[in-house]
Structures are given as structure tokens and as C-alpha cells.
Amino acid sequence: MQPSFQTFIINTPELLDSLKKYALAVDSEYLAYDVETNSKIEKKADLYGIGLAFNTNKAFYIPWRKPDGSKYWDAITESNITTFLTNTINIKKVIGHNVIYDALVTENQLGIDLTPNIHADTILMRHSLVEDGDFALKEIAVQELGPWADKAQDKLMNEVLAAGGSWTKDQKDMYLASTETLGEYCCWDVILTMMLFELFEPRIVSEGLYDLFYKEEIMPLYKEVTINMKRKGFPVDVAYYQNLKVEITNEIGKLEDDIMNLIKNDIKSFEEALLEKECPVKATGNFPKYYAEAAGIPLPVNAKTKAITLAKKAVELQKQAAPQFSELYDHILQIEPRKPLNPFMIEKAQRLCFFERNPDSKHIFNLRSNDHLIELVFNRWGFQPIEHTDGGKPKIDDDYLDTLKGNPVIDKLLDYKKLNKLLSTYVDGILDRQLQGIIYTSMLQFGTTSGRFSSRDPNLQNQPRIKDEDSGLSQLVLKYVNAIRKGFVAGKGYKVVNADYASLEPVCFAHVSGDQKLKNVFINGEDLYSRVVIETFNLTGVSAIKKDPLFLKNIHPEKRQVGKVIALAIPYGAEAARIAEILGITYKEAQEIIDKYLKGFPNLAKYMYRQNYEAKRNGLVKTEFGRIRHLKEAKAMWALYGDDLLDFKWAKKNNKTDLRRKFKNSLNNAKNFPIQGLAAHIVNRAMIAIARQFKLEGIDGYIALQVHDEITCIVREDQAVRASSIVKDCMENTTKISVPLGAEPLIADNWGEAK
């Protein structure tokens, strides 16, 4: 049932005065805040209005622009509103839903910095309580408050559509609605935000998350690091990427020409059939026109429309005027018997037709088409597929093509596909997203269950890492893979200071497991994979230290490879069937490896048992610092079926195979969450410490990006050395665990060189 609340559109100076008095008199320390704009991109957004709610009883909307984009108030009133907002924000605890957007728009449009007064973001509250699922305001509100919470959207949508605007998942032109309707919608948003805050706050306390959320990590990280990342962005060298685009495009063109030259005989009949299908030889339609163009044959023109006509009488007259081209005219008139058309000109005409219909194509055979590649690889060359798609077609993805490496065409094709991806995903993505030479990516604290950042619009966390010569990539692809990050620059007078934790997840794994032998790997500077194999198989005469001549990789490289497979896969819950599949061994051999591994590290086995127990008995697990992973389904399934559900044969016999898979996945989450969550805590807290120390020492710099275990800062050149010392100290010492943490910063002019 919808609760009762009032909404007010502040559209006169008198109502504005009343709002000012109310704001001073109202008994509330909180302020729910929201803005309405015409763009999802903060730097491009024009402010259309501001929503305010001091409680869940009343909400207010102050319009700033009319639907046509013109200003709502005169300059004096605008100044009064800005002063009122500044004074109000400064004495309240600001609440918002994805308030980073509202804060940056307000800063850009009104010059007001909300950040110091932000108290909570209800997206982050929701993520702390429910780690995955919906995070949009309306979806959360409907789930938590009831279906009524989405009611204000209907009228708004209808007005936007009536005004010719867009209303899709990705684009809602809400600013086109009337001021009254947009204001009502905004008022609902701040009311819903305040209601969610009041709902979530007690839960944050009851689940023991208060300190983590407000004092230690989540909101401090948001206010001191995340917002600033979006505010300042990461500079890019636009000219560099434009030149890179030209270079890669030229290389793609050369590869395409080379491949087509190599396969031309194999695809000739296929291309002929494709041309005939798309541009058949006909007496009517467009084919005669293409043939005439190809052969230089005149066709009659309609005197009025000035367009080519194939009317019988006109063609007969044209034939009388140019009898030397009678084979085409007879073809159009369908006169029998007649001289056949020139095969060379037919093909030329069909090509004209094809490329006019497909202006972006350079060749008839399309190297980007899986259907065309299937024809070449399977039907023409006779290779056998390994897998099929859900639709029954042979699968011809990059993984399959990798199995055919060594074939000169396939090698070039793989390079062709990889360069196309580099161009479209990275180079074009950067050029499309940059604003005046800066990328403003969104770093999300609610994008992963572990608490690690994710990135979008664009995703800078998936930018290709710098690769070594032994990466398996061709020299051509390697050159451009390693070129992508080099366009992210510090800018004149500044440097990139970049540091990556050494083996952070394995380090956290050793700490969380509680197994001293695993901890000793990092305390003694050993190689984890080698130590796992040595302990698992009781190997002698080999070492786990990389610089030792008896290092396992030097003596038995294939055994170390086994260590790379099992070191984290088994603790994270991989069963014998999976290990057997990866290593290409029998199920029995795989099970023996698992048993020996866990016997070699008994405390690890205890950790795994303990995490399974927590998931089954309590339906949740926690990180060392209190972040929660709820696993209610695991508890419910275990209550119904007990450990029988872990028995594959039992599950199959009782038609519970899918349920077993879900149960096993939940138990796997119970084991890996504390490890990945600890890694997230370590990185997040290091970033808070870096930001604070930069501020304390007056360092002209900021954290520009965080990619998994890597922290990237941009710092004034003359302060870069000191900044790198701060970064190293904060990364290694902010959070202390039983295994030493290591991070070695590098100083460079761009992101690529700082690796």
C-alpha cells in the first residue's frame, strides 16, 4: 500500500521563500538529493531541476530549465537558489541513489561541492546488504516497498513519447516532459531514496556492517577516491589514438587482401553462387542497369523524370539507335533467339550490384561472417568441428581457430580478428568516449560481489595488459596490443605513478587458509605453483625458488604446469571431473591429485570444510573485515537434502543434477569469497590511505584508476618520487595480514610504460 506523502513544485519566488523557511524549521539531519538532466554523462548534462526531501512526508522540486532548454529563473533568483542549496547542503547529511552523478552535475552546473556532506548512497547500502541483483532505484524500491513505487513513471513516459523523445532501457529523455510532471517524478525519487535509507540503515547495523560502511571503507572510499576518479578522469592522447586507428586499419586491410589472395581459388564457386543469389541475372529489375553500367551501354531515359526506363517501347527505340548493343536490349525485351550476354560483363554487373548493396564490404567473401568461415573451413577445406552452437551450426570461434594454428591462412585470420577487436573495442571505444582529451570512466563499488571495483562507460579494466614476447601473439598483434595503454597519458608536467600488488590473490589465499606451509611460500619468496606440486607429490631434488638452478620449472616444467592448474582451482571447489578435463587425465588420477594436495596442506582442507559448514548452516560467509556474502540457497538446499546433494550419483538418480550444480556453486562461493573479498579490502583501504596522505602532504595528484590489484595515480612531475613512496607504503602497510604484501611503483609518462 502506498504511504501518504506530499510533493511540491517550487515554481514561484513565494514558494521558494516558503521552502527556505521549511528547510530551517524541519526536524531532520538528513537531505535526500536528486537532479534531473538531459544526459547520463555528467560533463555533458544540463541541469533541469533539483529534488529535495528532508523526510518521507514531503518532497520538493526546484525547476532549473524548461522542456525547451531555456532557463526557468532570472539570474538573481538563480543566485538565491544556489545560495539556499549551498547553505542547506552544508548543514545536512546528504543521501542519494548513485549520488556521484548528482554531486558531479551539481558541481559542474552550480559550483556546489556536495562531496564533503554526502552521508550515504543507497546503491552502496543495498550492495552491502544484497551483493547482487538490481541496483536501479525503481527496481530496488519495488522490491523493498511495493509495486506502487514505480507509479510516477507512467505519466512521465507518456509525455516524453508524445514529445518525440526516446524511452528505452538505455535512453530516457525525461527532460522533455512538462516541468510539473518531471518535478513530480523527481519528488518521488527523493522520497523513495529517503525511504530506502530508513529501511537499510537498521539492517546495516544489525548485520554488523556499520563500521565497514561508514567509517572504515565503503563510504570513505566513495567520498575520497571514487568520486574524484570520475571528477578528474584519465587524460588520453587523442592524436595518438587517431594515428593508431589509421595504422591498425591499414594492417587489417593488408591482412584481408593477403587472406583473400590465398583463398581465392577455394571460394570462387562460393562467391559466384552468392552473387547469383543476391544479384541474379534477370530481364527486369536492376540487373540490366548494372550490366549497362559495366559494359558502357546506353539505356533509355524518361523525358519527364530523367530516370532510366526499361519500358518496352523505349528500349525498342534505343535498340534502333544503338543496334551494336542488341544483346542487352534483346535480353530486356526477352526476344528469342538472342545472343547470350557476355559472362565477364555479367560478373562485373553482379559485383557492381553487390558492392552498392554492401558499401562497407571490400570483398564478396566476408571474413567477419561465421557462415562464410564455416563454408571455407569445414565445407571447402574439410576440417572437423569440435563443438556446435545451440542452433546446430559448427562453432568457429577463436578457440577453435587456435587449434588450427600453423595454417598460413588461419594464422593471418587470427591476426585479422584480433586487430579488428583491438580497433573496435579499444581504439574506437576510447575515441568515442573521450571528452576534450579525457576519459571519464565510471568506477563502480557495487559491480562485484567481493567489493572490488568494476568499470564501465568505457570499461578501463579490460584494456589489454602489456604482453611479453612469449605471449603467443604474433609480432604484429603484440605491437598493437602493447600500444593501447600507451595512449593513457599523465599530461604535461605530470607523471603516471603505477603499482601492482605482487600475487595478491594467492597471498590472500595463503593467509585465509591458515596453512603455515602456504604462508611460508610468500614469507620465503617461493613460487606458489612449485611449492604446491612439491608438497602434493612429495618431490625431492627440486626447489620452489625461482633463482635456484633446481627450480621446478627448470627440471620438470610439466609438473609446475599442473601446479598452476590446481593451486587455486581445488581450494575454490573444482572437482575431479574438472581437474581431469583440464589436465587430460583420468577421473581417478584427478581425485588422487586432489586428495594428495589437501593432505599436503591439512589446514587448507580445514578451511574448506569450515567454509562449507558456514554456508550450509548459516547461509552466509564473511570476509575478515566483515563484508558478507549471503548464500541462503545453500542453507535451504542443505536443509532439504543434506550432504547427499554433494553425491553426483545420488543427485543423478534422484533427478537433482541441476540442484547439485547450484549447491556446489554456492559452496564454491563460500570458499573463494573470503579470499577475493580480502583482496578487495586491501586494495580499497590502500586507496583511501593514499588519497589521505596525498592531501596531508599537499601532493598535486590523485588516483585515476584501479584495475584489480593495480593502482594508478597521476601526480605532478616534481612530486612523483615522493608520491611513489607514499603509494608503496600505503599498499604494503595499510592492511597487515600474516603474509607480507609487496608492491613496487613505477613512474612513467603513460600507463603503458608504467608496467
Side-chain angles (χ1 to χ4, degrees):
M1 181 177 176
Q2 179 182 334
S4 176
F5 56 84
Q6 294 176 288
T7 61
F8 301 89
I9 311 300
I10 307 303
N11 52 16
T12 67
E14 292 75 21
L15 287 173
L16 182 60
D17 288 339
S18 297
L19 173 58
K20 290 178 181 178
K21 293 175 184 176
Y22 176 83
L24 288 172
V26 67
D27 183 19
S28 172
E29 60 180 324
Y30 299 113
L31 170 65
Y33 187 89
D34 184 45
V35 299
E36 299 300 337
T37 71
N38 60 354
S39 174
K40 293 195 295 184
I41 300 171
E42 294 91 341
K43 286 286 183 180
K44 290 184 175 181
D46 291 320
L47 181 66
Y48 273 68
I50 305 109
L52 309 171
F54 301 88
N55 50 45
T56 58
N57 301 322
K58 295 179 180 179
F60 306 88
Y61 179 73
I62 305 173
W64 198 256
R65 276 184 174 81
K66 300 172 185 176
D68 63 5
S70 61
K71 289 291 190 73
Y72 198 90
W73 308 95
D74 58 45
I76 294 174
T77 308
E78 278 190 357
S79 179
N80 289 337
I81 292 171
T82 302
T83 301
F84 160 68
L85 290 172
T86 302
N87 294 338
T88 304
I89 288 164
N90 284 340
I91 61 172
K92 298 294 181 181
K93 294 178 179 178
V94 176
I95 312 296
H97 192 84
N98 193 33
V99 73
I100 186 172
Y101 177 85
D102 308 288
L104 293 178
V105 168
T106 301
E107 186 175 307
N108 295 338
Q109 293 283 297
L110 302 181
I112 302 172
D113 184 7
L114 267 69
T115 311
N117 296 90
I118 293 173
H119 177 67
D121 190 316
T122 45
I123 278 188
L124 299 182
M125 298 181 87
R126 167 74 171 193
H127 179 254
S128 300
L129 297 165
V130 183
E131 312 85 68
D132 47 22
D134 292 316
F135 293 106
L137 177 61
K138 298 301 185 300
E139 281 76 359
I140 296 174
V142 167
Q143 290 173 29
E144 297 283 353
L145 304 171
W148 65 267
D150 200 26
K151 184 179 173 184
Q153 199 162 207
D154 293 341
K155 186 177 180 182
L156 182 72
M157 178 183 69
N158 292 333
E159 285 195 16
V160 168
L161 293 174
S166 176
W167 192 275
T168 65
K169 182 180 179 181
D170 297 323
Q171 178 65 36
K172 292 180 172 67
D173 296 330
M174 295 187 289
Y175 63 95
L176 293 175
S178 67
T179 297
E180 290 70 24
T181 300
L182 183 60
E184 178 77 2
Y185 178 85
C186 188
C187 285
W188 275 60
D189 274 3
V190 286
I191 286 287
L192 295 176
T193 300
M194 187 64 83
M195 286 180 175
L196 290 176
F197 170 72
E198 291 184 354
L199 197 65
F200 292 155
E201 178 88 335
R203 293 187 199 171
I204 292 284
V205 174
S206 67
E207 295 217 16
L209 294 166
Y210 187 88
D211 285 350
L212 175 71
F213 187 83
Y214 285 113
K215 297 179 180 179
E216 297 170 357
E217 187 174 326
I218 297 172
M219 286 309 300
L221 180 68
Y222 194 56
K223 294 172 64 174
E224 298 176 53
V225 178
T226 309
I227 293 176
N228 208 37
M229 282 180 173
K230 189 63 180 285
R231 174 187 285 125
K232 295 192 173 181
F234 202 139
V236 292
D237 186 334
V238 176
Y240 172 86
Y241 283 114
Q242 289 170 337
N243 291 333
L244 199 60
K245 177 174 179 141
V246 172
E247 284 186 35
I248 295 176
T249 300
N250 289 338
E251 294 291 356
I252 289 170
K254 290 176 187 176
L255 282 169
E256 187 172 6
D257 289 343
D258 288 347
I259 294 168
M260 297 308 298
N261 188 53
L262 288 169
I263 66 174
K264 61 184 177 184
N265 293 330
D266 296 321
I267 62 171
K268 184 171 177 56
S269 61
F270 175 75
E271 287 192 332
E272 289 172 352
L274 192 62
L275 285 174
E276 184 59 32
K277 180 181 178 182
E278 288 212 17
C279 308
V281 178
K282 296 170 65 176
T284 57
N286 287 324
F287 175 78
K289 299 175 185 178
Y290 288 116
Y291 187 93
E293 182 181 347
I297 298 174
L299 287 176
V301 175
N302 184 292
K304 289 183 179 180
T305 65
K306 306 300 181 185
I308 290 173
T309 176
L310 299 183
K312 182 178 179 181
K313 193 167 186 179
V315 174
E316 287 174 343
L317 289 172
Q318 185 68 50
K319 180 182 175 182
Q320 292 175 16
Q324 68 272 32
F325 303 123
S326 60
E327 74 274 10
L328 176 59
Y329 303 138
D330 288 348
H331 175 81
I332 297 169
L333 296 168
Q334 300 184 55
I335 293 173
E336 297 292 350
R338 63 176 183 263
K339 185 180 176 181
L341 296 177
N342 185 322
F344 175 76
M345 290 302 170
I346 289 176
E347 183 182 354
K348 192 174 178 182
Q350 288 177 322
R351 285 178 174 273
L352 284 171
C353 167
F354 179 87
F355 289 114
E356 186 172 297
R357 292 181 180 180
N358 302 278
D360 295 329
S361 297
K362 188 177 178 183
H363 299 278
I364 295 167
F365 188 90
N366 185 0
L367 294 175
R368 292 185 176 90
S369 166
N370 281 343
D371 286 341
H372 287 203
L373 292 178
I374 286 170
E375 176 66 29
L376 175 67
V377 175
F378 299 128
N379 298 345
R380 306 278 162 160
W381 288 348
F383 287 107
Q384 295 301 308
I386 296 173
E387 296 180 80
H388 288 77
T389 65
D390 292 339
K393 290 183 178 182
K395 190 176 280 189
I396 192 162
D397 55 14
D398 287 0
D399 289 338
Y400 176 79
L401 293 174
D402 275 333
T403 68
L404 304 180
K405 270 186 174 179
N407 178 304
V409 176
I410 296 297
D411 290 348
K412 287 181 180 291
L413 180 59
L414 282 166
D415 284 356
Y416 171 84
K417 289 168 75 70
K418 286 168 183 171
L419 288 185
N420 268 293
K421 181 177 181 180
L422 284 174
L423 180 62
S424 60
T425 303
Y426 303 113
V427 178
D428 285 343
I430 291 164
L431 287 171
D432 291 344
R433 289 286 183 178
Q434 62 84 23
L435 293 172
Q436 296 181 320
I438 298 177
I439 291 284
Y440 298 95
T441 183
S442 293
M443 299 300 295
L444 308 179
Q445 288 180 230
F446 58 90
T448 67
T449 57
S450 68
R452 290 190 178 201
F453 273 116
S454 66
S455 170
R456 73 180 183 202
D457 302 328
N459 182 358
L460 294 190
Q461 292 187 332
N462 76 345
Q463 300 300 302
R465 285 182 173 269
I466 301 297
K467 300 283 197 305
D468 296 324
E469 292 290 332
D470 61 355
S471 64
L473 298 173
S474 71
Q475 288 297 311
L476 177 64
V477 174
L478 183 65
K479 172 186 174 182
Y480 291 109
V481 164
N482 288 345
I484 300 297
R485 286 195 179 199
K486 292 179 181 178
F488 285 83
V489 296
K492 188 176 180 180
Y494 287 81
K495 291 286 185 181
V496 171
V497 176
N498 191 78
D500 204 343
Y501 279 102
S503 306
L504 182 59
E505 191 170 329
V507 164
C508 291
F509 156 63
H511 168 77
V512 169
S513 74
D515 195 289
Q516 193 59 47
K517 280 189 286 188
L518 287 171
K519 294 179 185 179
N520 287 342
V521 167
F522 300 100
I523 292 171
N524 299 332
E526 293 183 330
D527 173 58
L528 173 66
Y529 308 128
S530 299
R531 175 52 58 193
V532 164
V533 170
I534 290 169
E535 295 293 332
T536 299
F537 298 103
N538 293 315
L539 299 181
T540 58
V542 292
S543 170
I545 297 175
K546 292 182 179 181
K547 294 181 180 179
D548 194 316
L550 296 177
F551 179 47
L552 181 65
K553 187 177 180 180
N554 300 333
I555 310 299
H556 299 296
E558 76 288 351
K559 284 187 168 61
R560 184 177 180 274
Q561 193 61 33
V562 171
K564 291 184 76 170
V565 170
I566 68 174
L568 290 176
I570 291 173
Y572 282 178
E575 296 181 292
R578 178 61 179 153
I579 299 299
E581 179 187 355
I582 298 171
L583 294 178
I585 59 178
T586 66
Y587 180 92
K588 183 179 179 182
E589 290 169 330
Q591 188 59 55
E592 287 175 355
I593 288 175
I594 293 173
D595 294 341
K596 288 177 180 177
Y597 181 8
L598 297 180
K599 186 178 179 181
F601 300 97
N603 282 335
L604 172 60
K606 290 177 184 177
Y607 165 77
M608 294 170 66
Y609 175 84
R610 185 170 64 249
Q611 293 308 113
N612 283 347
Y613 179 88
E614 292 292 329
K616 292 186 291 188
R617 293 280 186 175
N618 301 321
L620 59 84
V621 294
K622 293 184 177 183
T623 64
E624 192 169 317
F625 293 99
R627 187 179 285 279
I628 298 173
R629 180 79 164 101
H630 294 91
L631 301 165
K632 295 178 182 177
E633 283 190 345
K635 181 180 179 180
M637 288 184 280
W638 188 76
L640 286 172
Y641 304 107
D643 286 335
D644 284 343
L645 197 53
L646 291 172
D647 186 329
F648 180 78
K649 291 181 180 178
W650 180 92
K652 188 174 182 181
K653 179 182 176 182
N654 290 277
N655 198 29
K656 299 285 187 265
T657 304
D658 287 345
L659 199 64
R660 178 188 182 276
R661 179 180 52 77
K662 291 179 182 178
F663 184 54
K664 194 71 175 63
N665 186 57
S666 290
L667 297 186
N668 293 349
N669 287 334
K671 291 186 280 290
N672 65 43
F673 175 74
I675 297 166
Q676 294 179 352
L678 176 59
H681 288 307
I682 289 169
V683 178
N684 291 346
R685 291 169 187 231
M687 288 193 290
I688 296 170
I690 291 167
R692 288 176 177 174
Q693 197 63 29
F694 277 9
K695 185 176 181 180
L696 182 67
E697 296 192 23
I699 299 291
D700 180 7
Y702 66 100
I703 298 170
L705 192 60
Q706 185 264 317
V707 179
H708 309 308
D709 307 333
E710 174 188 350
I711 298 174
T712 304
C713 306
I714 294 177
V715 183
R716 201 174 73 206
E717 188 171 7
D718 62 329
Q719 296 178 319
V721 173
R722 175 57 192 150
S724 69
S725 298
I726 292 170
V727 168
K728 179 178 174 64
D729 179 57
C730 291
M731 290 179 73
E732 293 181 345
N733 298 308
T734 299
T735 304
K736 288 290 192 180
I737 58 176
S738 60
V739 182
L741 297 170
E744 291 299 330
L746 291 172
I747 300 172
D749 292 323
N750 63 65
W751 190 20
E753 292 173 356
K755 287 295 292 177

